[in-house]
Amino acid sequence: MTDCLDPVEAFRQEAAELLDALETTLLDLGQRPQDRDLIDAAFRALHTIKGSGSMFGFDQVAAFTHDFETAFDLVRKGKAEPSDDLVTVALAAKDYIRALIESPESTDAVIGASVIDDLKRVIDTGCGVGAGAQTASRGDGEAKVQAAGLADPAAAGWRMGVAFEPDILRNGTDPLNLLDDLRRLGACVVTPSVDRLPEIDALDPEQLYIQWRVELVSDCGGEAIEDVFVFVRDSMDLTLAPLMQQPGETAQGLALDLPMDEQTGVAASTPVEAAQSLPGSEADPRREPARRVDDRASTTVRVPAARLDQLMDRVGELVIAQARLSQLAATGSDLAIKAVSEDIERLAAALRDTTMGARMVPMGSLFGRFRRLVHDLSRDLGKPVEFITSGEDTELDKTLIERLADPLVHLIRNAIDHGVEDAERRSAAGKPAQGTIELSASHVGAQMLIRVCDDGGGLDVARIRAKAEEQGLIAPGAPASEQEIYQFLFHPGFSTAKALSALSGRGVGMDVVKRMIESMRGSIDIATNFGKGTQITLRLPLTLAIIEGLLVRVGIERYVIPLAAVEECVELSGSGASGGGERSFLSIRGDLIPFLRLREMFRSESAPDLHQKVIIISTGEMRVGLVVDQIIGSHQTVIKSLSKLHSNVSIFSGATILGDGRAALILDVAQIISAGQAGIESLRSEAA
């Protein structure tokens, strides 16, 4: 059984990356319409998709993309101006290409034709002065391009040598498509050179051995020919020389006049050499020969995500086995075993870090998806919105990134629909007509902070409370802090929308956000300034696979606290605590911090240790102390999910296996801190 990636599936993956890049480029073009690099980048992506689609049998993709490319070529040549309408239609065309690739049998050709018609209409209305002097249109399968630029008035066209690098087929380029593009410039005589073909036993089907000699009868300029090969220019040799034609002579009557090899009597071994011998052509002795594929340093390798997951599982088991070995070595007196144990521990740690690094993905791969969302919502709601991102290079575990997409979609939709006001209200409040949505990512310790900020109206505490009282979530007049009121936004079915719409009103969005973030062992902070905006912060661990933990003992059981959440450890003394029962307070450098006695929470029946310890944990600005009997030390924690039977146990996020083979539960810091904060509010209400 082979694990090789199917070529068609490889094309789909590469096309998806190209389409994502095309979408980003088009959105950038909407903001910077005069940036020629963006236009060239969009055209290059289209050209690559067309060539690869044709090579892998996606004829519909190649045909539609060719029409898209032909229309967009007017923009590239400066004959039509980019506009917001052009970007909108081009994005729709990009979506149609994706549909053709992912589910060609369910796509409607009528829709594709309509998209192309819209694209041509938008481009025609955006044509600049003099655009009619030079046009590109298709007819009878042939495009006619008019251009100027021949240096010699006696020249009737071009004589050229075309030699691609041998490995160009592996990059998804189809040379025959490029030769067809040459034919669209005028009458063409194409002569292949096959004398470099090896014996059948030595032939590599993925290597290109054929080169071409081309004579083109056309009044096009040399830049038109360069445009045909613009995206493979670094992977080929192209030589050009003017083609002289006698009056009345046709393309079919042209003599090829190929230089002949004196010994074999056949054409020169490479068309480039032949072209270099033509009048007006010059050989460049500094030009390097075409490099073979094995001469190139490979910088990236495409690996299925399932393999990385399997590798991570194996590394996790290795970490557990290494912990057992370290424990056995520590109890013995054999120095050789201890030395081997230390070496394996060092290598296992390095392997763990390397494997986790391979799973880390830049946040930019996720942030780029939301630019289209903001663009479309801004248009549909009639609210001009600027979308700003930062921290795109910040890396997060790929598993977390995949699960973050839906929560962020809900947060951004809410920010635009509920947060950003319409132009009239913004003007009355002295704000610019264009709203702002900011999406940022940053590392803080072993946590990832993702913030969604808007400059809208902020949260209306009174309105949220009134809705909560209406739904029976809180008794009228009952005391509640602002943070407690904000938590009602995450209650299932809760919505403050005055009317039901396609975007809001059903009260399911924020509920989904909370459940997804908590399933990733994360937490949500809300900060708002009424009339000025809202900031929602998601706090997430960097990975769900292996973490550094603090191993503690409570009674006879052991537990793991994520080390990233630990601020400090202090000894619990009689003078340092006040209050009693489950909830108490500890004064640390002037701050009053609530602490929870885990023995009482977990109902431990053994006698407490004489000198108990308090571990101060935090998330955001909230801090809580946890009283334990003993701090054992740091521990590499391989996280194992709890079974469905334990899904209602909220204060544990998972379990791990210790070096002696016993299991230890991992505390959910966010849930523990919520319990501690609830204790503070309860005591405050009792004191009031």
Side-chain angles (χ1 to χ4, degrees):
M1 182 176 179
T2 179
D3 290 332
C4 293
L5 192 62
D6 178 69
V8 173
E9 184 60 30
F11 163 71
R12 285 195 170 100
Q13 292 182 10
E14 292 176 0
E17 294 172 1
L18 285 169
L19 290 172
D20 288 341
L22 176 61
E23 179 175 285
T24 300
T25 301
L26 291 173
L27 292 169
D28 286 340
L29 185 61
Q31 298 176 347
R32 306 194 302 275
Q34 303 306 318
D35 192 332
R36 306 304 303 176
D37 290 339
L38 293 176
I39 298 174
D40 290 340
F43 194 82
R44 182 163 55 249
L46 290 173
H47 199 78
T48 304
I49 293 171
K50 180 184 76 171
S52 299
S54 176
M55 185 172 66
F56 286 100
F58 287 80
D59 295 334
Q60 289 178 293
V61 173
F64 179 84
T65 308
H66 178 79
D67 290 338
F68 187 177
E69 180 187 44
T70 301
F72 203 80
D73 188 46
L74 291 177
V75 180
R76 185 172 68 97
K77 293 181 177 178
K79 303 167 189 172
E81 294 298 325
S83 64
D84 290 339
D85 289 340
L86 172 65
V87 170
T88 299
V89 178
L91 288 170
K94 189 273 304 180
D95 292 340
Y96 187 76
I97 295 175
R98 188 184 295 275
L100 284 174
I101 294 173
E102 294 178 352
S103 54
E105 66 285 347
S106 61
T107 54
D108 189 344
V110 176
I111 297 177
S114 175
V115 170
I116 291 299
D117 289 341
D118 289 343
L119 186 62
K120 291 179 178 178
R121 174 182 53 78
V122 170
I123 289 178
D124 287 342
T125 57
C127 284
V129 178
Q134 293 179 331
T135 61
S137 61
R138 297 181 69 219
D140 299 329
E142 186 174 287
K144 298 179 180 179
V145 179
Q146 297 178 356
L150 286 178
D152 188 346
W158 297 93
R159 180 172 295 176
M160 66 193 80
V162 180
F164 297 99
E165 290 189 358
D167 62 329
I168 197 168
L169 298 178
R170 289 189 171 94
N171 299 331
T173 301
D174 186 349
L176 298 182
N177 281 342
L178 298 175
L179 294 175
D180 287 341
D181 289 342
L182 281 180
R183 292 188 176 95
R184 296 186 179 99
L185 299 179
C188 239
V189 176
V190 180
T191 305
S193 171
V194 297
D195 57 298
R196 298 186 66 181
L197 282 173
E199 297 294 331
I200 189 66
D201 294 339
L203 190 143
D204 182 351
E206 294 185 355
Q207 289 275 323
L208 179 63
Y209 302 99
I210 301 175
Q211 299 173 331
W212 290 270
R213 171 85 174 276
V214 180
E215 295 197 353
L216 171 66
V217 178
S218 172
D219 58 355
C220 70
E223 70 277 2
I225 297 173
E226 290 283 351
D227 284 348
V228 170
F229 301 103
V230 64
F231 304 123
V232 293
R233 199 63 183 86
D234 294 336
S235 303
M236 67 174 297
D237 285 333
L238 174 66
T239 58
L240 289 174
L243 176 66
M244 304 301 177
Q245 179 179 351
Q246 298 300 322
E249 189 175 15
T250 64
Q252 288 77 12
L254 288 170
L256 293 180
D257 191 26
L258 291 173
M260 307 297 289
D261 188 288
E262 295 180 359
Q263 295 182 352
T264 63
V266 299
S269 60
T270 68
V272 176
E273 294 171 359
Q276 289 171 346
S277 67
L278 295 174
S281 65
E282 296 181 1
D284 185 355
R286 296 171 298 175
R287 184 182 295 273
E288 296 181 0
R291 294 170 293 175
R292 302 186 63 86
V293 67
D294 51 4
D295 293 333
R296 292 187 173 189
S298 179
T299 56
T300 59
V301 177
R302 190 181 297 275
V303 178
R307 286 193 177 184
L308 288 179
D309 293 337
Q310 293 173 3
L311 179 59
M312 196 71 244
D313 290 341
R314 301 296 183 271
V315 172
E317 299 300 326
L318 175 62
V319 169
I320 293 173
Q322 175 267 318
R324 295 182 63 185
L325 176 61
S326 297
Q327 186 166 341
L328 291 173
T331 58
S333 58
D334 191 328
L335 296 180
I337 294 296
K338 290 184 177 181
V340 172
S341 174
E342 292 175 357
D343 287 342
I344 292 179
E345 182 177 0
R346 175 177 53 81
L347 293 173
L351 180 60
R352 177 204 64 186
D353 294 340
T354 302
T355 306
M356 289 178 62
R359 289 167 54 101
M360 304 301 276
V361 179
M363 291 298 294
S365 64
L366 177 65
F367 285 4
R369 306 180 193 178
F370 304 122
R371 296 188 62 197
R372 176 71 180 278
L373 173 68
V374 173
H375 175 272
D376 292 347
L377 288 178
S378 175
R379 180 194 62 210
D380 295 342
L381 296 175
K383 298 179 179 179
V385 175
E386 180 184 11
F387 185 53
I388 301 173
T389 61
S390 61
E392 293 93 336
D393 294 334
T394 309
E395 293 185 333
L396 185 65
D397 191 297
K398 73 173 187 65
T399 305
L400 289 170
I401 281 189
E402 292 167 358
R403 295 167 63 179
L404 261 178
D406 285 345
L408 287 177
V409 165
H410 287 297
L411 292 177
I412 293 173
R413 285 163 64 103
N414 277 353
I416 298 176
D417 190 24
H418 293 293
V420 177
E421 314 96 327
D422 56 38
E424 183 178 348
R425 291 175 57 192
R426 292 182 65 86
S427 177
K431 297 180 179 180
Q434 186 180 48
T436 301
I437 302 291
E438 296 185 27
L439 180 61
S440 64
S442 60
H443 282 159
V444 177
Q447 280 189 323
M448 167 74 79
L449 301 188
I450 301 174
R451 294 185 174 92
V452 180
C453 309
D454 67 73
D455 65 345
L459 297 178
D460 188 338
V461 178
R463 185 176 174 187
I464 297 173
R465 182 185 177 98
K467 192 69 176 181
E469 292 178 354
E470 178 185 329
Q471 295 187 2
L473 301 178
I474 186 174
S481 67
E482 288 188 356
Q483 287 297 326
E484 287 179 315
I485 293 176
Y486 295 154
Q487 293 306 309
F488 292 132
L489 295 172
F490 302 107
H491 193 276
F494 188 91
S495 175
T496 59
K498 296 180 179 179
L500 182 65
S501 71
L503 293 179
S504 61
R506 301 190 184 277
V508 295
M510 298 302 285
D511 175 38
V512 170
V513 172
K514 183 177 182 181
R515 285 190 286 108
M516 289 295 294
I517 297 304
E518 288 183 348
S519 71
M520 292 184 278
R521 303 198 324 273
S523 61
I524 305 176
D525 299 336
I526 298 179
T528 186
N529 191 343
F530 186 68
K532 295 185 178 180
T534 301
Q535 173 179 290
I536 296 181
T537 303
L538 308 181
R539 297 179 179 273
L540 297 167
L542 294 182
T543 180
L544 294 178
I546 300 177
I547 63 171
E548 289 290 341
L550 186 66
L551 186 63
V552 300
R553 180 178 58 82
V554 179
I556 62 172
E557 300 297 337
R558 297 181 181 184
Y559 301 91
V560 175
I561 303 173
L563 198 58
V566 176
E567 284 195 355
E568 58 182 311
C569 302
V570 298
E571 187 169 331
L572 182 65
S573 61
S575 60
S578 61
E582 261 188 37
R583 297 184 296 270
S584 301
F585 290 88
L586 188 68
S587 178
I588 297 182
R589 292 182 292 277
D591 291 336
L592 200 61
I593 299 175
F595 64 82
L596 305 175
R597 293 180 170 88
L598 294 185
R599 294 182 55 83
E600 298 178 9
M601 287 187 68
F602 301 155
R603 299 175 183 174
S604 177
E605 297 180 355
S606 61
D609 283 19
L610 181 60
H611 301 289
Q612 293 183 307
K613 306 297 187 295
V614 181
I615 301 171
I616 309 300
I617 61 174
S618 67
T619 174
E621 297 179 356
M622 295 184 290
R623 305 168 72 197
V624 170
L626 303 179
V627 180
V628 302
D629 288 324
Q630 180 187 4
I631 299 174
I632 299 175
S634 62
H635 181 268
Q636 285 189 28
T637 304
V638 180
I639 300 172
K640 302 291 185 181
S641 300
L642 298 177
S643 70
K644 293 182 179 179
L645 295 176
H646 302 88
S647 59
N648 61 338
V649 181
S650 60
I651 60 175
F652 300 117
S653 59
T656 188
I657 301 174
L658 302 177
D660 58 5
R662 292 190 296 172
L665 293 172
I666 303 170
L667 298 185
D668 189 322
V669 172
Q671 295 294 332
I672 292 288
I673 288 180
S674 296
Q677 292 298 318
I680 294 177
E681 300 299 336
S682 177
L683 287 178
R684 286 176 178 171
S685 60
E686 291 174 5

